[in-house]
Structures are given as structure tokens and as C-alpha cells.
Amino acid sequence: MTDVDALAARLEEAARNVRAIPKLTDDTPLDVATAYAVQRAGIERRRRAGERLAGVKMGFTSRAKMAQMGVDDVIWGLLTDRMIAESSVDVSRLIHPRIEPEIAYLIGREVRSAAEAEAAVAGVAVGFEVLDSRYADFRFTLPDVIADNASAARFGVGTWHPPRDVSNIGLLLEIDGRPVQTGSSAAILGDPARALRAAARLATGAGMTLQPGWIVLAGAATAAVPLPEDAHVRVTGAGLGSVEVTT
Ligand code: OOG
Ligand code: MG
């Protein structure tokens, strides 16, 4: 039997030491179900250390991301309160951080099924996600990235707006005033609401429910870009305003 907790511990140590490790599948065959068990074990370790669940992130919901990372299945991971970046991110604590624009949903009440997801939304916002694969060279197989909580590291959201159609929001990622990525939320499964429903379905399938106050990141519509030191990043969503973060 695969020692899922030992694999979760390897990933946790890589993050703590700010040092990339070889991908798990280099020495341990992993199927998708076992990879999610490793992810869950990592989250349990964080909870034991006092972190609280703050939401769900979807990954590889756009072609741009699938193509960038060479992975072509939608995945999910869990967000905790310790990952929330208010206005700055300390990149010295990260291995090789990247940043990407996100569409974020605020959950207003418990979601017991995918069908309930949209009606439970209390707000929508533009956001960003800072990814930091714990694997060398940011390279992995599908089970590896699942075990690594979908590369989740930090995230932030802008001002919440009342629920609205976000199926075609123009997205702009700027670093130090230079546009580095542009896209549309339509790239996210055709409509980020599909990613939201998938998050609800995956959570219930795993014996969890989306909780009031949780945030769902629908997945990036563009490729992620390296997040350098001393950078000022702005993500703008047409009609949703901007969110800024410095490093
Ligand atoms: C995995 C995370 C993918 C997204 O929005 O597609 C993701 C990675 O790219 O390392 O967060
Ligand atoms: Mg993302």
C-alpha cells in the first residue's frame, strides 16, 4: 500500500524548506485516486497545524493552462486561510512562484449539489492565484500535481460584486504596469459557472460540501507567468475592477 501520509509529508517539507523535490511518480506509481488521497493527507496536516479551509480551486479549466502544463484533465485542490494574500506575497518563502488571473466566487450558503451551486453564490470578483509547484522545474504528471494540491500557494480576490454573468469577462494581468497576459473568462470551460458547478460536484463526491464564506477559484483563463521579487502585479477584470499585489 502507498503510504499517502509519507508522500504528503515530502511535499510539506519541500514547501517548508523552500526547496523543490523530484516528482513523486519518479519513485512511487500513483493513480488519480491515490493522488487525491495524498492531497487530502496534506490538507489534514495543515488543519492539524491550525489552518482552516477557505475554499476550493479548480485547475486546468482552460486550454491555455492545459497547453502550458501539458496536462489535459480538470483537477481541483483546497484553499486554506493561510494561503490568503492580502496585499503582498513574500516570494522568498516560495520556490518558483507564478501568478495567474482568476475569476472568484463567494459562496453564500452550503452547496449540497452541483445544481445548487449558482443559486448559492453571494458574490463574484476578479482574483489572482500564486502557484508554486513543489516539484523541480515546475514539471509533473497529472497525479503528481493533484497530490501537490494543484500547485496552490497563495491567492487574493478584489472587491466582491453581486452575482452576475461572468461568462465573458476580459482579463488583464500586468506586472509593473506592463501587460503580460490577456484573456477572457470564456476560456474557462466556456463559462466559469461550469467550473463552479464542477467544484460543487467534486466536493460532494469527496464527501464535502462548499461552505458559506468559502471562495471558489474557477481556474486561470491564461497561462501563468513567473512572479519576480519587488514586483507590482495588477489583475483587472472588465466590469469587476482590479486586484493588486506586491512582492
Ligand atoms: C496547476 C494549477 C492549475 C489553474 O488555474 O489552471 C491552476 C499548475 O499550473 O501548476 O491553478
Ligand atoms: Mg489557478
Side-chain angles (χ1 to χ4, degrees), residues 77-194:
L78 287 159
L79 302 171
T80 74
D81 59 347
R82 205 76 61 79
M83 298 179 188
I84 298 171
E86 292 298 348
S87 57
S88 70
V89 169
D90 180 1
V91 288
S92 74
R93 296 300 310 152
L94 299 172
I95 302 164
H96 37 204
R98 294 178 178 178
I99 192 161
E100 60 189 17
E102 294 272 349
I103 295 288
Y105 291 96
L106 178 63
I107 302 301
R109 57 171 195 261
E110 191 184 8
V111 179
R112 292 193 192 79
S113 72
E116 285 180 15
E118 268 175 285
V121 171
V124 292
V126 67
F128 63 85
E129 183 176 20
V130 176
L131 300 171
D132 195 33
S133 175
R134 270 52 69 168
Y135 302 123
D137 304 321
F138 229 110
R139 291 176 65 84
F140 40 67
T141 65
L142 180 69
D144 285 304
V145 66
I146 290 169
D148 189 24
N149 197 25
S151 307
R154 305 280 187 277
F155 70 97
V157 291
T159 307
W160 292 111
H161 296 264
R164 67 167 80 158
D165 176 10
V166 290
S167 61
N168 191 9
I169 302 280
L171 293 163
L172 170 65
L173 173 64
E174 292 168 284
I175 299 189
D176 297 328
R178 281 192 316 278
V180 289
Q181 290 288 337
T182 56
S184 163
S185 65
I188 304 162
L189 299 176
D191 181 345
R194 290 210 178 89

